Amino acid sequence: MNDGGQRRYGPLGTALVIIPTYNEAENIKPIVSRVRAAVPDAEVLIADDNSPDGTGKLADELAAEDDQVHVLHRKGKEGLGAAYLAGFRWGMEHGYGVLVEMDADGSHQPEELPRLLTALKSADLVLGSRWIPGGRVVNWPKSREFLSRGGSTYSRLLLGVPIRDVTGGFRAFRRETLEGIGLEDVASQGYCFQVDLARRAVAAGFHVIEVPITFVEREHGDSKMSRDIVVEALWRVTAWGVGGRAAQLLGHRRPRS
């Protein structure tokens, strides 16, 4: 999206990097260390869904050693979307100006965070994109790439959003953006959660831009991707797209008063 350079953006404020975790004991310490090195002024919130492998305990140890690391303990595994929503609420309640989504498994490179935050100085939402020039994926099978590219293309065309990587989960929001997109009725998860927030931002008229990232497949732990997540994304995106087109048609046909 392009605002034509007309809008003036205020200062960003302190950034909070939200890292949802479930069974990420092998990954949590290295990823937090890399985040702290890449953006020393930012703070980290680990939102742990009561991981049985002890991730929550390790997160508490990190927080005890570093005042810029915080932990949000949740009762159980409720999905990525619910974890991010809880993290957003915590961050806004504590006055952060920027809320960042980032995976715990190393697929999102913390060293690219400065690029997202720099771009956010002139935007409302910045998406780390695998599917624009300069973006790429590493160690993915062709089947996974086809699924991700196809999901983004399907969502973009059906919903009419000008975003190449609409399913990606490496994102930086201004606080005002999250306040303006109606988080209270978001119920989607996984890929679908990312699509939902992106389409809401576009519909609300926020300035959304993409910057290229390198996405690296996790080395440790198990992927949280599942058939149920893909199916949910397919039916929700289809319902949103069909509903939006129907509303447009009805609007065009409504007689003028």
Side-chain angles (χ1 to χ4, degrees):
M1 294 179 68
N2 187 351
D3 63 1
Q6 301 299 313
R7 179 174 169 188
R8 291 182 177 273
Y9 289 88
L12 293 177
T14 303
L16 180 70
V17 181
I18 303 168
I19 305 178
T21 56
Y22 184 78
N23 286 351
E24 296 288 357
E26 292 179 284
N27 295 315
I28 191 59
K29 287 191 174 183
I31 202 67
V32 169
S33 176
R34 289 171 63 190
V35 170
R36 294 288 291 113
V39 282
D41 293 334
E43 301 194 11
V44 176
L45 175 67
I46 302 164
D48 185 64
D49 277 6
N50 197 24
S51 299
D53 73 345
T55 301
K57 182 176 182 296
L58 294 174
D60 285 335
E61 292 174 1
L62 291 170
E65 297 168 357
D66 187 341
D67 290 341
Q68 288 178 241
V69 177
H70 314 278
V71 185
L72 178 61
H73 290 285
R74 291 162 40 76
K75 293 182 180 179
K77 188 178 182 182
E78 297 178 358
L80 183 70
Y84 273 129
L85 290 174
F88 291 155
R89 286 192 293 269
W90 190 96
M92 289 188 286
E93 288 170 1
H94 287 79
Y96 293 92
V98 175
L99 293 305
V100 177
E101 296 183 14
M102 199 184 80
D103 287 350
D105 60 13
S107 56
H108 298 150
Q109 306 295 290
E111 294 74 21
E112 295 181 319
L113 274 168
R115 183 185 304 159
L116 272 69
L117 296 177
T118 297
L120 194 62
K121 292 178 180 179
S122 57
D124 298 298
L125 166 59
V126 175
L127 311 179
S129 179
R130 299 159 291 185
W131 313 132
I132 63 171
R136 66 190 185 109
V137 297
V138 176
N139 296 331
W140 261 17
K142 287 297 182 183
S143 58
R144 179 80 182 274
E145 182 174 341
F146 176 80
L147 178 64
S148 182
R149 282 185 181 271
S152 278
T153 300
Y154 181 77
S155 300
R156 181 176 72 252
L157 296 177
L158 197 62
L159 301 177
V161 292
I163 298 171
R164 303 297 299 182
D165 192 352
V166 71
T167 64
F170 195 13
R171 303 179 168 193
F173 296 83
R174 284 181 178 263
R175 174 197 182 97
E176 297 82 6
T177 307
L178 290 172
E179 292 173 336
I181 62 177
L183 293 179
E184 63 278 356
D185 62 349
V186 173
S188 46
Q189 297 293 327
Y191 273 177
C192 197
F193 175 78
Q194 309 298 1
V195 176
D196 196 1
L197 295 196
R199 75 180 183 97
R200 286 168 182 260
V202 171
F206 287 113
H207 180 39
V208 182
I209 63 176
E210 299 180 84
V211 298
I213 62 166
T214 297
F215 183 100
V216 181
E217 178 66 348
R218 68 160 63 231
E219 294 183 0
H220 305 290
D222 297 321
S223 172
K224 308 305 187 294
M225 180 56 60
S226 69
R227 181 178 178 276
D228 288 345
I229 289 174
V230 174
V231 170
E232 183 210 14
L234 180 62
W235 77 258
R236 282 191 184 270
V237 169
T238 301
W240 292 330
V242 171
R245 297 296 171 84
Q248 289 177 350
L249 289 173
L250 290 173
H252 289 317
R253 291 176 181 174
R254 186 177 298 131
R256 295 181 179 179
S257 56

